[in-house]
Amino acid sequence: GREQLFMCFSNLWNLFNIARAINSGWDLVWYADATFNLCSADVTLVTFGVNSLGGHFNPTCFAIMGGGRETSQSYRTMWEAMTSAFMLAVNKLHMCGLGLACDICNILDRIKKNPEFEAVSRSPGKFMEAIKGGGLMADGGKAIKAFGEECLGFTRNKCSAHVTGTSVLSWYCP
């Protein structure tokens, strides 16, 4: 049988993009896309990201998958890994000995003190609702559609303003 490869990775800066999106005051929209045939080994790169300033893409995590295709389970696994890492970063990451002289501690302090973030972080339900956001922008593939509907509870609406000759973007909203 074929060995399956799945690696999901991020860093603090990318994870903090979730908080920056919440703090921007714009409705949080998730973006997802896959790049197939990344190399001759039949590897796919999948990206999650969030919006800022109403439409700029900010990456949050990436996954490398073997087998040449994305699945709703791979998106779910990415989502769970990313949201768990984000929750740990904003709730469990402690200030180092340098305090606000440390770039990471300074950024984390500003994120947590932002009124938008403070408002949602007081309630676990509101916090998860803010992280889930208001929509998912992706291609019209079956895997991302299933993930959006099954994992995030979004329904599918095609946005005709984004239909081109080569791609159809689908908007998922609660």
Side-chain angles (χ1 to χ4, degrees), residues 98-149:
L98 297 174
L100 295 181
C102 166
D103 289 338
I104 296 295
C105 291
N106 194 331
I107 291 167
L108 185 58
D109 185 64
R110 285 186 287 150
I111 284 170
K112 287 182 169 184
K113 288 182 178 174
N114 185 292
E116 296 281 341
F117 194 80
E118 277 187 328
V120 298
S121 65
R122 288 189 197 114
S123 162
K126 284 185 180 181
F127 195 54
M128 285 312 293
E129 185 178 309
I131 291 170
K132 191 165 81 167
L136 172 64
M137 185 70 79
D139 64 19
K142 291 179 184 176
I144 193 67
K145 177 183 181 294
F147 164 75
E149 292 174 353

Side-chain angles (χ1 to χ4, degrees), residues 2 4-5 34-38 41-45 65-71:
R2 281 174 70 172
Q4 289 297 316
L5 168 71
T35 302
F36 298 95
N37 302 321
L38 196 58
D42 208 17
V43 174
T44 301
L45 174 69
M65 297 175 220
R69 66 186 191 97
E70 61 197 310
T71 65

Side-chain angles (χ1 to χ4, degrees), residues 31-36 44 46 48 68-75 136-150 154-159 166-172:
Y31 296 84
D33 202 6
T35 302
F36 298 95
T44 301
V46 178
F48 266 150
R69 66 186 191 97
E70 61 197 310
T71 65
S72 61
Q73 183 57 46
S74 60
Y75 279 111
L136 172 64
M137 185 70 79
D139 64 19
K142 291 179 184 176
I144 193 67
K145 177 183 181 294
F147 164 75
E149 292 174 353
E150 295 166 11
F154 294 165
T155 56
R156 184 177 187 194
N157 294 310
K158 287 187 180 178
C159 177
T166 58
S167 65
V168 176
L169 296 177
S170 298
W171 189 276
Y172 298 87

